[in-house]
Amino acid sequence: ALEAEARWCQATLPSEHPALVVGLLRRLFAEVGPLFTRRMGDVVAQAGEGDARKPLGLLVQVRQALSQFLEQAELVLGVGAWGQELEMQQALYQPLLPQLHSYGELEQSHLAAELGALKLPDSTGAGSRSMDAKDRAVRAMAASVNSVAGSMEEAISRCQAFTLGIEFPTLLAVLNSSLDQYISMLGASLDVLYVQFDCRPPADAGAPPQPGGAAEAAEEVPSPGGLAQMAVGEDIGVALGLVAVAKDVLQQVDLVDAQCRTALRSVQGKLASQQGDAPVLRRLLETRVAGLEQSIPQLTASHASLLPRATSGALAFISAVETFVLDVILSPVRQALLGYGRLPLWGRVAQEADADLPTFSALPNQQVTDIGEYLLMLPEQLDVLAPASPAAGAGEGGGGLDAQDEAGAWVVKIAQAIAADYGRCLLQVQRLSAPGANQLVADLDYFCNILQAILGDDIPAVLKTFQEGAAMAPEQLAATAE
């Protein structure tokens, strides 16, 4: 229509061209502008009621249409005539201004809708403890990472497509908040997995002794039949899959950070451009542009994260996942150790028939040998880390742990955690007779030998103290106890 009007004016009233057409446009914009502003607000609100992801898509299309109109007007009216009409160009974009000011809320709602569409484990599936259900839950968490990273990348593109990147500081706050929300959702899913894996540390762990409790009713706590034979291998494999998920979350947060820095450098160039609608948007959002131009060099050069809450949350999630994996691995050990520190045998008085028995006749308790065998078979279970480790295959000089080193580090962590749990159980022992000390020496010698193979001389002090004390002569032990 503009082109046809310009052709008519040029042919019929050449002396009035292009001033007549420009004046007509100015009058048109003055009449239509308020109506266009209200209509756009209504359309955006209606679209948001149906799907919070629609409004920004519509607004990007509106800006593209306005930009195309500017380019067409410049071709039709000439660079000189149209270039002098900055106020009119600004009037053309004025209906978009309320939506530009609402960009942060629109983007927050958009990303919240995308996060709400994720199929993460929730409380509805917590009752299913089958291996298939556990595996599906971990796979769902893994699949969500790339999905969310893609959503963040699209948000960066939308910010530039709608606001020319002028609202980038607002976008950074939205990305930071949305990623933090996503990581909180992963934390809630981890709580669901605790129920599915049934691996919460028992309340009895480290509890003070309770005289007359069930543990005092028998000489031995029933053995679970050998921890190494328990069906925990698959549980460990599935749980270890979360280690890769947690690391991937941090990597994707770092990737989004890098994408933001790249986009900011691109925005810096666009703000200086005289092409398209850049001059119009700069005038409409003059205050925002001034602040952004000052902050871009600092933001792009800084080594600090542009997404501090998300980075902190990702690191905390890695720690939470490591705790969860340890809880899964230690769950059968903790069950075996329940009541161990309150066994009646520790305070049992020697009978006359036992007086001449040599101390080397004592064998380790079944619970302790089960735990030792379980600890020895764990390296095989940790082989699952080989394909999951992001550092595996990274090449020489990569600076990170390879899969074998990572598995070794986990074995050390697990051994330290088991040793700590065992030490807490020993602190529950209230009375130690000579026969009890003899049994404790057998238990500790066996257990500490296995620990030494893994930890070297880094045996926890509490175990060394009990080992040395239990090995004392009965009269020396009694004197020390007093």
Side-chain angles (χ1 to χ4, degrees):
L2 176 62
E3 187 176 0
E5 196 68 30
R7 281 201 305 268
W8 176 86
C9 184
Q10 192 169 19
T12 309
L13 301 167
S15 63
E16 300 294 329
H17 181 75
L20 183 61
V21 179
V22 171
L24 179 63
L25 284 175
R26 191 180 294 113
R27 179 66 180 273
L28 177 64
F29 294 162
E31 293 288 337
V32 174
L35 178 63
F36 187 21
T37 302
R38 289 195 300 272
R39 179 61 179 156
M40 187 180 298
D42 292 342
V43 170
V44 168
Q46 290 171 7
E49 290 175 2
D51 185 347
R53 292 170 288 190
K54 286 185 177 179
L56 277 175
L58 292 174
L59 290 169
V60 167
Q61 293 176 17
V62 170
R63 188 212 153 184
Q64 289 172 345
L66 290 173
S67 180
Q68 290 170 4
F69 180 84
L70 286 182
E71 293 175 6
Q72 188 65 25
E74 186 175 295
L75 289 174
V76 171
L77 300 175
V79 175
W82 184 245
Q84 296 174 7
E85 295 295 332
L86 280 177
E87 288 188 7
M88 188 168 64
Q89 293 176 32
Q90 190 170 332
L92 177 64
Y93 273 71
Q94 195 69 32
L96 206 58
L97 189 57
Q99 308 306 324
L100 286 167
H101 287 159
S102 299
Y103 165 72
E105 296 173 13
L106 294 171
E107 189 64 78
Q108 188 79 61
S109 297
H110 186 111
L111 291 176
E114 300 217 334
L115 293 179
L118 295 175
K119 304 297 183 183
L120 289 172
D122 56 30
S123 57
T124 59
S128 178
R129 298 184 180 181
S130 68
M131 187 54 59
D132 185 55
K134 296 171 185 175
D135 185 60
R136 282 199 311 271
V138 173
R139 288 182 181 275
M141 293 172 73
S144 71
V145 181
N146 287 335
S147 175
V148 170
S151 295
M152 302 300 133
E153 185 176 5
E154 290 171 2
I156 295 171
S157 297
R158 273 194 304 274
C159 180
Q160 296 177 83
F162 179 42
T163 77
L164 195 70
I166 294 171
E167 289 295 328
F168 222 95
T170 301
L171 173 65
L172 287 176
V174 171
L175 292 178
N176 203 20
S177 171
S178 298
L179 284 168
D180 189 51
Q181 179 187 351
Y182 165 62
I183 294 168
S184 295
M185 293 167 64
L186 290 177
S189 295
L190 198 60
D191 289 337
V192 173
L193 291 181
Y194 264 107
V195 176
Q196 288 185 308
F197 281 78
D198 191 22
C199 61
R200 292 279 186 195
D204 182 78
Q210 299 176 2
E216 294 190 3
E219 284 289 309
E220 295 183 2
V221 173
S223 169
L227 298 183
Q229 304 302 318
M230 293 181 68
V232 294
E234 288 185 327
D235 268 9
I236 293 174
V238 172
L240 283 170
L242 278 177
V243 176
V245 175
K247 290 180 179 178
D248 199 17
V249 170
L250 181 59
Q251 287 177 341
Q252 293 301 331
V253 169
D254 289 343
L255 177 61
V256 174
D257 184 291
Q259 290 169 342
C260 287
R261 294 174 193 273
T262 301
L264 277 168
R265 295 185 187 98
S266 173
V267 168
Q268 193 171 25
K270 292 176 181 177
L271 291 177
S273 172
Q274 297 299 318
Q275 302 299 315
D277 59 0
V280 183
L281 286 170
R282 279 203 308 271
R283 288 193 65 183
L284 276 175
L285 301 169
E286 190 173 2
T287 304
R288 301 287 291 168
V289 170
L292 180 60
E293 286 178 331
Q294 290 180 359
S295 62
I296 283 178
Q298 297 173 351
L299 290 173
T300 54
S302 173
H303 294 296
S305 174
L306 298 181
L307 308 166
R309 281 174 57 193
T311 300
S312 176
L315 291 170
F317 182 62
I318 288 176
S319 178
V321 165
E322 290 181 350
T323 298
F324 168 76
V325 172
L326 278 175
D327 285 338
V328 170
I329 294 173
L330 296 179
S331 181
V333 173
R334 288 166 173 164
Q335 290 299 320
L337 285 174
L338 282 176
Y340 176 84
R342 300 195 297 270
L343 288 172
L345 65 85
W346 304 129
R348 187 182 63 187
V349 178
Q351 305 296 320
E352 281 189 27
D354 299 331
D356 297 327
L357 288 177
T359 57
F360 59 78
S361 63
L363 296 174
N365 261 311
Q366 185 65 50
Q367 299 104 293
V368 177
T369 56
D370 284 346
I371 292 168
E373 291 171 8
Y374 182 70
L375 191 51
L376 290 173
M377 71 87 182
L378 280 175
E380 182 180 345
Q381 298 291 337
L382 294 170
D383 284 346
V384 72
L385 286 172
S389 172
E396 294 182 6
L401 290 175
D402 62 22
Q404 187 174 1
D405 288 340
E406 187 173 5
W410 268 98
V411 170
V412 169
K413 269 193 253 187
I414 293 163
Q416 290 171 335
I418 291 177
D421 279 352
Y422 186 33
R424 282 191 287 271
C425 286
L426 292 179
L427 291 174
Q428 295 178 6
V429 175
Q430 293 294 291
R431 183 171 181 272
L432 191 62
S433 64
N438 186 34
Q439 180 60 58
L440 190 56
V441 167
D443 287 2
L444 282 167
D445 284 351
Y446 171 82
F447 186 67
C448 288
N449 281 339
I450 292 177
L451 282 183
Q452 192 166 27
I454 300 170
L455 303 178
D457 293 331
D458 193 21
I459 307 297
V462 65
L463 300 187
K464 289 181 178 179
T465 300
F466 269 91
Q467 189 177 26
E468 293 169 0
M472 292 179 180
E475 58 278 5
Q476 186 181 3
L477 177 61
T480 302
E482 291 175 3

